[in-house]
Amino acid sequence: MEPKGQQSDEVRTSVRKGPIMFFIPFGGLFYLVPSMLMVVAYTLFLTPVFSQFMPLGEAKLLALEVPFSIFLLSPLSIVYDVRYVDGKPVASGISIGGTIIPVGVAAYILWELRAWILYALLVLGVTVLVNWAASKPDPELGIISNTPLGVLVTVALSAFLFADRYDLLPAVTFSASVIGTAIGGDVLHGKRLRSIMRYNHVMGGGGMLDGISKAGLYALALSYALITFHIHL
């Protein structure tokens, strides 16, 4: 969900062939190093979340597979729209690793929280609205968003609603932040963005450094901080 339209600095390769677009969002160590750090952090943070719904061994394996899948499959995107700007095709796509995988995982966690679904959906709805209001489409950069603001609101509301079940806080905030960022930031601004975009745009194309992945990680980190320091809102 982060800016990804600048061809000179951020976009290394973008090749569209049929329904699949190969899109390398960033180049070199500037992408690889922070992405690997996020993979490690995601693995540590997601393990206790998954362990609430499955045996610990399976939880550890899944917590490792999810961030690696996001990282490895981010360059692959599904093209759903092609427009012509100044005679050149401009494609819009959805990253398999940067969007489909994290949103799918968040939806699975949301399903496991079905016993508290009303509160969880309330948090998700507010997260969508905040991300929609805090994001705007730009013809050069794609979606310009305020990821930290959305995460802060999500975690604060979750901490209030789940005051008696703080153990569920990481699961709630992660699922709401990931899905809420994708819907509020990208989907609800998608039509407007496609009408003004000058370059290929991929939802979740930033991979581990995209707003969708970062929102989930920020939400997990802040949730664990509240739990660790016994901070109740």
Side-chain angles (χ1 to χ4, degrees), residues 151-231:
V151 171
L152 286 173
V153 173
T154 301
V155 174
L157 179 59
S158 299
F160 174 75
L161 294 176
F162 290 84
D164 295 330
R165 289 300 309 268
Y166 247 38
D167 58 307
L168 297 176
L169 197 60
V172 174
T173 59
F174 170 79
S175 57
S177 293
V178 168
I179 299 175
T181 300
I183 295 176
D186 284 285
V187 175
L188 295 184
H189 288 293
K191 184 177 181 180
R192 170 62 177 162
L193 179 63
R194 290 193 299 273
S195 67
I196 64 174
M197 198 66 193
R198 296 177 57 189
Y199 304 110
N200 291 340
H201 170 75
V202 176
M203 181 178 173
M208 292 301 294
L209 302 185
D210 194 87
I212 296 174
S213 296
K214 290 196 296 185
L217 185 61
Y218 294 165
L220 288 169
L222 187 53
S223 296
Y224 285 123
L226 294 183
I227 294 173
T228 301
F229 296 104
H230 304 286
I231 301 174

Side-chain angles (χ1 to χ4, degrees), residues 36-56:
M36 287 296 96
L37 292 176
M38 289 182 67
V39 167
V40 174
Y42 251 124
T43 302
L44 295 175
F45 288 156
L46 283 177
T47 297
V49 172
F50 290 142
S51 66
Q52 295 177 306
F53 316 125
M54 62 185 67
L56 181 59

Side-chain angles (χ1 to χ4, degrees), residues 78-121:
I78 300 174
V79 177
Y80 63 87
D81 182 74
V82 178
R83 297 170 183 266
Y84 286 85
V85 178
D86 297 329
K88 298 180 180 179
V90 175
S92 296
I94 301 177
S95 172
I96 295 175
T99 299
I100 295 177
I101 290 178
V103 169
V105 171
Y108 159 72
I109 294 175
L110 198 61
W111 168 252
E112 292 291 350
L113 294 170
R114 57 191 177 277
W116 301 271
I117 194 62
L118 293 180
Y119 281 170
L121 289 179

